[in-house]
Amino acid sequence: MGGTRPSIGSLREEARHCRACPLWKSATQTVFGAGRASARIVLIGEQPGDREDLEGKPFVGPAGKLLDRALERAGIERAQTYVTNAVKHFKFEPRGKRRIHKKPNEQEITACRTQWLDRELRAIAPTLVIALGATAARAVLGRATAIGRSRGHIIKGQSLVSEIAADVIVTVHPSYLLRVPEEDRENAFEEFVKDLKLARRYAPA
Ligand code: URA
């Protein structure tokens, strides 16, 4: 798709009424991306969690706090970035009073990518996309990606969004770091910070 670049504000407004897949039915609201509209770095997660669904903003819950800590350690100001998700509605399974996260499926990822993520990336035209975890990597690269093998280097020119020149870094999802056994957590966190430092050097604000 060529043509004029959409504005993030108009996309966000449009996305409030998204019906591109059935996830809108049980979610509280669309959680669109947030941050700087001219960011050089875009970070992409999987989908909003429970807190994000209620607050309407990406990465504000426990995974978001961890991401904030890692960004700070890497010398990246979150306010200079744009943070979004591959899928814009919370997918969950009710269990008692709790809502348990469920992974989005292929159709949901594809619907959200063509409807929103592609257009978000075209609007921002970043230098670098950081895919946080396997779902984001699949959405951005269009194929299953082994995070362990793909992380730690710049993946050039393979973003599915062909009109933009953004390169890609694949790394772990912050929620993964929350689940790593305690004795390995510090190391895993440091590896994550290392990936973010590479991003900072490649695309300084
Ligand atoms: N996990 C995500 O992938 N995105 C969020 O916004 C929050 C948690």
Side-chain angles (χ1 to χ4, degrees), residues 63 66 133 151 172-181 184-185 188:
L66 194 145
R151 72 186 302 184
V172 294
H173 191 286
S175 296
Y176 157 80
L177 297 173
L178 295 171
R179 297 190 304 267
V180 166
D184 300 326
R185 201 167 297 158

Side-chain angles (χ1 to χ4, degrees), residues 31 44-49 52 57-61 63-64 83-85 132 173 175:
V31 179
I44 305 177
E46 182 190 79
Q47 61 163 336
E52 289 79 12
K57 296 189 190 114
F59 281 104
V60 290
V83 179
T84 192
N85 282 299
L132 301 167
H173 191 286
S175 296

